[in-house]
Amino acid sequence: TVILPDDTVEPEDIVTPSDQAERLRQLTTGPVVGFAQTDVVENADPVVRYVEAGTGHVYEINLVTEDSRRVSATTIPLANKAAITPNGLHVLIQSDFGSRASYIAGTISTTSDSLSNFELNENIVSFTATEENEFLFAAAGTGELVVKKFNPTTGNISVEFTVPFVDATIAWHHTNAGPHIVYPKTTYQLEGYVYSYTNGQVSRTNATGYGLSAVGSTDTTIFSEINSETYDTYSVDKNSLTAKQTQLSLVPEKCAFAQSSPVVAICGVSFTEPPYQMPDIWYRGEYTSDDLIWEYNTLRESARLLASPEAATGRKIDLINPQFSPDDSNFYFQNKADETLWVYAYITNLPISN
């Protein structure tokens, strides 16, 4: 069952253009393959560390002074994806693609610009860093994905849970426990479904449809699907048997839930009506989204425009890889067109639960 939003629900006050320009910043001019706001020095200025595409070099930017420096000059050839732990000390970097891919675990030195590293001998298809300063990764097995936890301090690897199909997408939670949202690879030609894994236990989410993809929190799942050649978005809370259509139509991969509030997400949203082949054509780069940055509250079913990148900076943004800082003070993302790193200063009082 789908419930349409109440017509009386209106978007909240819009952030002023001058405020948008102050809050929204482009942090890099070159492509980035992984990033995280870190607490390398306790009680110091906020710092974001990122991995440079191609070289695997690690840099950091002080968000107050805007000073930038390289913290690792160790080259990881053909670096194309990376994750950094919140303490800023450990990285996991993918080198090369497909059958030639390798996965390098590294520890950043505090006394030199070298990276102590070794290769993980795993057939990894997806990975992330968690707030526990560990890594989760999914490795392809025989007819299944095996999700494992890697502790970069001890080197220990343990199995967390298995997914009973290989061709899957995982929308990782920021904690080891989850919920981690799992669904079959998205295509508008096939019906998809959503599972949620929390502490290794699986449950089915009330979300099915063609072209389906999803993102979730401990309370809510946002998903989109094709309905009669239109691309629609819904939210469903963990205890509900009904999905509610949202005010905003969006690609869930453009959304991230706040770490301190499971009912508030920030998303990249374009108001150009997407073709019915979504999201396949966006994945392939045949459709480019001109995104605005919106806050969506699933509890109140309300939306608030935070920023128009084009109005604030003169740049169009096709938003990918959204990520909050650990304290939710900053919202990071990349521009799909050039993989540059951006930040929106997000400071607000967040509701705690649904």
Side-chain angles (χ1 to χ4, degrees), residues 45-118:
D45 293 340
V47 167
V48 59
R49 286 189 165 178
Y50 68 88
V51 178
E52 183 180 61
T55 67
H57 294 171
V58 183
Y59 293 81
E60 71 175 25
I61 301 172
N62 183 306
L63 293 178
V64 176
T65 66
E66 299 187 344
D67 291 336
S68 176
R69 71 184 185 99
R70 186 169 63 180
V71 296
S72 170
T74 300
T75 298
I76 308 297
L78 301 174
N80 60 82
K81 181 176 174 55
I84 304 174
T85 54
N87 62 11
L89 299 180
H90 307 286
V91 295
L92 183 57
I93 303 175
Q94 178 179 338
S95 171
D96 215 335
F97 299 90
S99 61
R100 299 187 302 275
S102 59
Y103 297 85
I104 310 301
T107 298
I108 299 170
S109 172
T110 57
T111 59
S112 72
D113 65 354
S114 63
L115 185 73
S116 173
N117 66 88
F118 66 95

Side-chain angles (χ1 to χ4, degrees), residues 38-318:
T38 67
D39 55 359
V40 180
V41 179
E42 190 174 356
N43 298 322
D45 293 340
V47 167
V48 59
R49 286 189 165 178
Y50 68 88
V51 178
E52 183 180 61
T55 67
H57 294 171
V58 183
Y59 293 81
E60 71 175 25
I61 301 172
N62 183 306
L63 293 178
V64 176
T65 66
E66 299 187 344
D67 291 336
S68 176
R69 71 184 185 99
R70 186 169 63 180
V71 296
S72 170
T74 300
T75 298
I76 308 297
L78 301 174
N80 60 82
K81 181 176 174 55
I84 304 174
T85 54
N87 62 11
L89 299 180
H90 307 286
V91 295
L92 183 57
I93 303 175
Q94 178 179 338
S95 171
D96 215 335
F97 299 90
S99 61
R100 299 187 302 275
S102 59
Y103 297 85
I104 310 301
T107 298
I108 299 170
S109 172
T110 57
T111 59
S112 72
D113 65 354
S114 63
L115 185 73
S116 173
N117 66 88
F118 66 95
E119 182 177 346
L120 282 180
N121 187 25
E122 299 276 356
N123 188 17
I124 297 175
V125 297
S126 179
F127 61 91
T128 191
T130 66
E131 70 176 21
E132 292 86 358
N133 294 308
E134 297 179 309
F135 296 101
L136 294 176
F137 64 86
T142 303
E144 64 180 8
L145 290 181
V146 182
V147 174
K148 301 180 181 182
K149 178 175 67 177
F150 167 56
N151 184 318
T153 302
T154 65
N156 290 339
I157 296 177
S158 58
V159 175
E160 298 293 289
F161 59 89
T162 59
V163 177
F165 50 96
V166 175
D167 200 16
T169 298
I170 302 178
W172 299 102
H173 194 254
H174 61 273
T175 66
N176 285 338
H180 308 292
I181 305 300
V182 180
Y183 52 93
K185 291 291 186 182
T186 304
T187 172
Y188 76 97
Q189 296 175 314
L190 296 175
E191 189 173 27
Y193 39 88
V194 177
Y195 294 106
S196 177
Y197 286 81
T198 303
N199 291 315
Q201 301 300 308
V202 61
S203 61
R204 180 76 179 266
T205 300
N206 184 32
T208 59
Y210 287 81
L212 184 143
S213 63
V215 63
S217 70
T218 53
D219 274 22
T220 307
T221 299
I222 294 174
F223 66 96
S224 293
E225 63 182 23
I226 296 294
N227 286 314
S228 300
E229 298 191 353
T230 63
Y231 190 62
D232 297 324
T233 303
Y234 305 88
S235 68
V236 57
D237 70 61
K238 63 181 179 181
N239 298 316
S240 178
L241 297 178
T242 59
K244 299 178 181 179
Q245 189 170 348
T246 68
Q247 294 173 303
L248 306 173
S249 179
L250 53 88
V251 179
E253 290 94 321
K254 291 176 175 284
C255 290
F257 278 94
Q259 297 197 14
S260 62
S261 174
V263 298
V264 173
I266 294 183
C267 306
V269 182
S270 173
F271 284 92
T272 301
E273 185 174 348
Y276 74 90
Q277 301 98 330
M278 285 290 285
D280 302 42
I281 57 173
W282 179 68
Y283 294 154
R284 296 194 299 262
E286 298 169 7
Y287 171 80
T288 300
S289 180
D290 181 6
D291 290 326
L292 305 173
I293 301 173
W294 283 80
E295 174 194 82
Y296 186 69
N297 186 311
T298 62
L299 176 63
R300 295 166 54 185
E301 298 179 55
S302 64
R304 181 167 67 113
L305 177 63
L306 299 179
S308 165
E310 187 173 13
T313 69
R315 296 282 308 278
K316 292 184 178 182
I317 297 293
D318 190 352

